[in-house]
Amino acid sequence: MSLGADTVYLCERGKEGVTLLEYRGLDSLAVVPEQIGGAAVTALAPYVFSKHGNDDTQHPAAFWQSGDGVAVPRDEAVKLPRVKGDSLEELRLPGSLRRVGAYGFYNCGRLKRLELYSTTLDWGTGVFAGCGGIRELEIHVDESRRSCLKEILAELRQTLTVDYDGAERARLIFPEFFEEAVENTPARILVTNTHGCGQKYRNAFVGTQFQFREYDSLFPHVQVQEPEELAVELAMGRLRYPCCLAEEHRAQYMDYLREHRIAAACQAVDGSDGEKLEWLTGEIRYEAEDLNTVIERARMNGNTAAVSLLMDKARRKGTVRRRKFGL
């Protein structure tokens, strides 16, 4: 394969742009480009990243092109493995994309992160069927237009971390929820019970526009229904990226983190997240005993960077005494 291309696309041209039929490459990260062959990529074919691929014999006008823009013969292109199913772990979609075909990511069980644009409005049936491994979304939002965010969140019921990139940046946590049907035998009906507060969070919209104030007003539900770890992450996300954050809600998040400051710092240590630890110790008052507890946790984890940072904080507070040796 010429020019060292390690990614190839099977495409079909249409009136509105290019449809991606198949993606082949050597990486578990698939990046769908804005353009292929000089035309905008506007659609993904049905089953494009699923284990059930499209047969290029059904598309006689289809063509293969490399990631560096060179036409590739079919017999050369198919030497690269197809990125599909469990081989796909991260996917980035372009702003030009308008339509995703039915079952586009069907049974991509190892797909963990998805980056997309809010202007991709046409999502086919079952696109996210079998995608229970997705944990992170990054969505670029045009707040002047309709958005697909509400639709995506409704399809993904697991706990999600969403990086919202609009006029300002926000980091949002959407808790998990699931529904359980319970039979009411005397009444001969099924009663659906919803567990978890994730459904409430997914309803923080007016039309398709996300409502930050409504989202922030739900935090008391998280404190009662969700584990401490999730509540800490949610509070830190809103405070570190305070897009449209009202003062009353800023205060509730800060109060919670002050009360759970040790757990928050230990979480940052366990995740080797130095930026988060630096932010916490800069925004929240940690007493000597608090710092010693977190330092011990960092030592147990072998996190020398965190130990160094925390020891420096402790010295500045005058809580670490140096040994003095007399003659």
Side-chain angles (χ1 to χ4, degrees):
M1 197 170 301
S2 64
L3 301 181
D6 58 5
T7 303
V8 294
Y9 320 107
L10 177 63
C11 314
E12 186 175 47
R13 287 190 180 92
K15 293 180 179 180
E16 297 180 353
V18 168
T19 296
L20 180 68
L21 303 173
E22 190 172 311
Y23 188 109
R24 289 178 177 264
L26 300 175
D27 201 342
S28 60
L29 162 64
V31 181
V32 178
E34 289 273 348
Q35 292 189 344
I36 294 177
V41 177
T42 57
L44 302 184
Y47 293 95
V48 63
F49 286 103
S50 78
K51 294 179 181 179
H52 310 281
N54 291 285
D55 185 348
D56 60 356
T57 61
Q58 300 174 4
H59 302 272
F63 63 95
W64 287 95
Q65 181 172 304
S66 69
D68 45 22
V70 178
V72 179
R74 183 186 184 281
D75 58 348
E76 289 293 317
V78 298
K79 291 178 181 178
L80 286 171
R82 185 165 175 229
V83 180
K84 63 177 183 177
D86 287 344
S87 67
L88 179 65
E89 296 185 10
E90 183 175 350
L91 176 61
R92 298 177 187 169
L93 302 177
S96 59
L97 193 67
R98 296 293 173 264
R99 184 175 71 257
V100 179
Y103 300 99
F105 316 138
Y106 178 53
N107 275 349
C108 291
R110 295 182 63 192
L111 178 59
K112 299 180 180 67
R113 189 176 190 277
L114 174 64
E115 182 176 347
L116 69 154
Y117 285 75
S118 66
T119 48
T120 303
L121 297 177
D122 187 352
W123 295 82
T125 301
V127 169
F128 293 105
C131 292
I134 296 178
R135 291 293 178 266
E136 298 178 24
L137 295 179
E138 181 173 355
I139 183 164
H140 303 277
V141 181
D142 182 344
E143 293 165 337
S144 67
R145 301 170 61 184
R146 288 182 60 212
S147 169
C148 66
L149 178 57
K150 183 177 182 180
E151 181 180 355
I152 301 301
L153 292 173
E155 293 292 326
L156 299 172
R157 299 186 173 190
Q158 61 266 38
T159 299
L160 295 170
T161 298
V162 177
D163 284 330
Y164 178 104
D165 188 7
E168 297 179 56
R169 191 170 181 84
R171 176 158 294 174
L172 309 168
I173 305 292
F174 289 86
E176 177 186 22
F177 80 98
F178 65 94
E179 295 175 339
E180 179 184 30
V182 179
E183 183 179 5
N184 185 330
T185 304
R188 296 182 179 179
I189 60 173
L190 286 176
V191 178
T192 301
N193 297 323
T194 301
H195 301 273
C197 60
Q199 188 176 55
K200 292 184 175 68
Y201 273 84
R202 285 162 173 79
N203 288 330
F205 288 83
V206 171
T208 66
Q209 301 303 309
F210 183 69
Q211 303 297 301
F212 286 94
R213 180 173 284 274
E214 175 66 20
Y215 175 95
D216 292 326
S217 71
L218 296 170
F219 190 59
H221 294 279
V222 165
Q223 295 180 59
V224 173
Q225 298 182 47
E226 302 295 339
E228 180 186 46
E229 179 180 359
L230 187 146
V232 164
E233 283 292 334
L234 194 155
M236 275 196 286
R238 288 300 285 131
L239 289 167
R240 293 179 71 195
Y241 304 92
C243 175
C244 302
L245 182 60
E247 179 58 33
E248 63 188 280
H249 296 133
R250 190 198 72 82
Q252 76 172 351
Y253 290 132
M254 284 300 297
D255 288 345
Y256 183 85
L257 285 184
R258 289 189 186 101
E259 184 178 348
H260 298 263
R261 60 191 179 277
I262 295 177
C266 287
Q267 234 170 272
V269 165
D270 293 346
S272 298
D273 194 328
E275 289 185 7
K276 189 180 294 181
L277 187 61
E278 180 77 44
W279 181 87
L280 278 167
T281 54
E283 294 292 328
I284 295 174
R285 180 180 176 82
Y286 282 81
E287 301 297 342
E289 186 176 347
D290 301 334
L291 289 171
N292 288 334
T293 298
V294 183
I295 288 170
E296 184 59 30
R297 179 67 160 261
R299 283 175 173 155
M300 289 175 62
N301 288 353
N303 190 337
T304 56
V307 170
S308 178
L309 186 153
L310 293 165
M311 290 289 287
D312 183 59
K313 296 282 184 183
R315 289 190 188 97
R316 292 180 187 181
K317 288 177 173 288
T319 57
V320 176
R321 295 183 179 177
R322 302 190 179 209
R323 292 184 182 181
K324 294 183 179 180
F325 297 90
L327 296 176

